[in-house]
Amino acid sequence: YESILESFGSNDNELQRINRFANTFTVNGGSDGQSDKKPGNKSISFTIWDYGGQSVFYTLHHLFLTQYGVYLLVFDLREIINNRVTATGYLEFWIKSLRLHALNSPVLLVGTFYDKIKKEKDLEIVKSVVHELMNGFPGFVKSGALGFFPLNNKTKEGIESIRSAIEKNAWKQDYVTKPIPIRWMRALDKMLEDTECMYMPLSDFQGVIFVYPCIYKSF
């Protein structure tokens, strides 16, 4: 890690930019499998995408649903109990989309308003619906006997188990620790700087990547 940053030592701004990027995204770079920053303390960063649930956005989902993600399918437990056909149809649509575009990605089902469910038989109904919908889905992340992650909207009980499951399953994905060239990181950084231009000419791209040594960093 330090040897990479020394390559940019002649330019303090560049050093700060690369340092910031590395601090955010380096999660498994040590030769002993530990974090470069703190031995024995690994870290991982997430970018959260909240997909629009309205039907007008459905045609755009295939642009964003990929195998490179951990998915949370959030639903209202009360709707399954009181409006089962409509609620189940809604869940089924999303599950089919994930089967098509991200079949092997981890998927967690989160049932909100757990504090409003008073009867054990109602939970059994939801459990049955979830198991039927997710049957045969390889990426389905089960939680306990219920299968889904119940979330209490009043006390926030259930949040920590959801967070833990997200992190645990993210670490299992090969792409999380896939080595990435420093040159590619720098080129991406430059492209994101210019918000007015939708492309980068080849000559500019070559000028960016040839300035830096071709070092691969394992994240």
Side-chain angles (χ1 to χ4, degrees):
Y1 174 69
E2 295 300 334
S3 61
I4 293 176
L5 296 183
E6 288 172 1
S7 302
F8 307 95
S10 60
N11 187 323
D12 290 340
N13 289 332
E14 291 300 327
L15 180 60
Q16 293 173 5
R17 290 169 62 81
I18 300 300
N19 191 22
R20 183 172 67 250
F21 191 98
N23 284 339
T24 301
F25 291 93
T26 299
V27 294
N28 194 24
S31 59
D32 58 353
Q34 306 294 340
S35 169
D36 288 319
K37 296 298 291 182
K38 296 179 180 180
N41 182 22
K42 297 180 180 180
S43 62
I44 187 171
S45 297
F46 295 91
T47 299
I48 301 174
W49 293 63
D50 185 4
Y51 296 109
Q54 298 86 346
S55 58
V56 68
F57 295 115
Y58 285 178
T59 55
L60 300 177
H61 288 166
H62 72 282
L63 300 175
F64 306 102
L65 296 176
T66 72
Q67 61 179 324
Y68 302 108
V70 176
Y71 294 90
L72 271 68
L73 186 49
V74 183
F75 63 96
D76 188 332
L77 288 168
R78 301 170 301 177
E79 290 297 314
I80 298 291
I81 303 302
N82 301 320
N83 194 9
R84 192 182 312 178
V85 174
T86 300
T88 302
Y90 178 79
L91 284 173
E92 188 174 17
F93 167 81
W94 282 98
I95 292 168
K96 286 182 176 179
S97 292
L98 290 169
R99 281 183 181 273
L100 179 62
H101 301 292
L103 179 61
N104 294 308
S105 297
V107 178
L108 288 69
L109 267 68
V110 178
T112 60
F113 293 99
Y114 181 57
D115 49 292
K116 299 295 184 180
I117 306 301
K118 306 301 182 182
K119 300 178 181 179
E120 188 68 27
K121 67 176 184 178
D122 287 340
L123 285 177
E124 288 298 320
I125 291 173
V126 179
K127 173 183 174 180
S128 176
V129 169
V130 167
H131 280 252
E132 182 178 351
L133 290 172
M134 299 304 291
N135 183 39
F137 197 112
F140 178 37
V141 179
K142 296 181 180 179
S143 175
L146 291 175
F148 62 91
F149 291 80
L151 177 61
N152 188 315
N153 287 53
K154 285 187 176 180
T155 65
K156 306 303 179 185
E157 179 184 357
I159 285 289
E160 289 305 319
S161 62
I162 295 171
R163 288 176 175 170
S164 177
I166 292 172
E167 182 177 1
K168 178 181 178 180
N169 284 277
W171 276 112
K172 292 179 180 179
Q173 310 309 304
D174 293 339
Y175 57 81
V176 171
T177 54
K178 181 179 180 180
I180 299 177
I182 296 296
R183 287 179 174 180
W184 185 91
M185 291 162 51
R186 175 55 181 156
L188 176 62
D189 203 18
K190 289 295 291 184
M191 286 188 284
L192 293 175
E193 282 181 11
D194 191 348
T195 58
E196 296 182 358
C197 185
M198 300 299 293
Y199 66 94
M200 175 183 286
L202 179 60
S203 58
D204 291 353
F205 179 79
Q206 292 174 331
V208 170
I209 65 172
F210 290 152
V211 170
Y212 305 104
C214 187
I215 303 174
Y216 283 77
K217 185 62 179 174
S218 176
F219 293 94

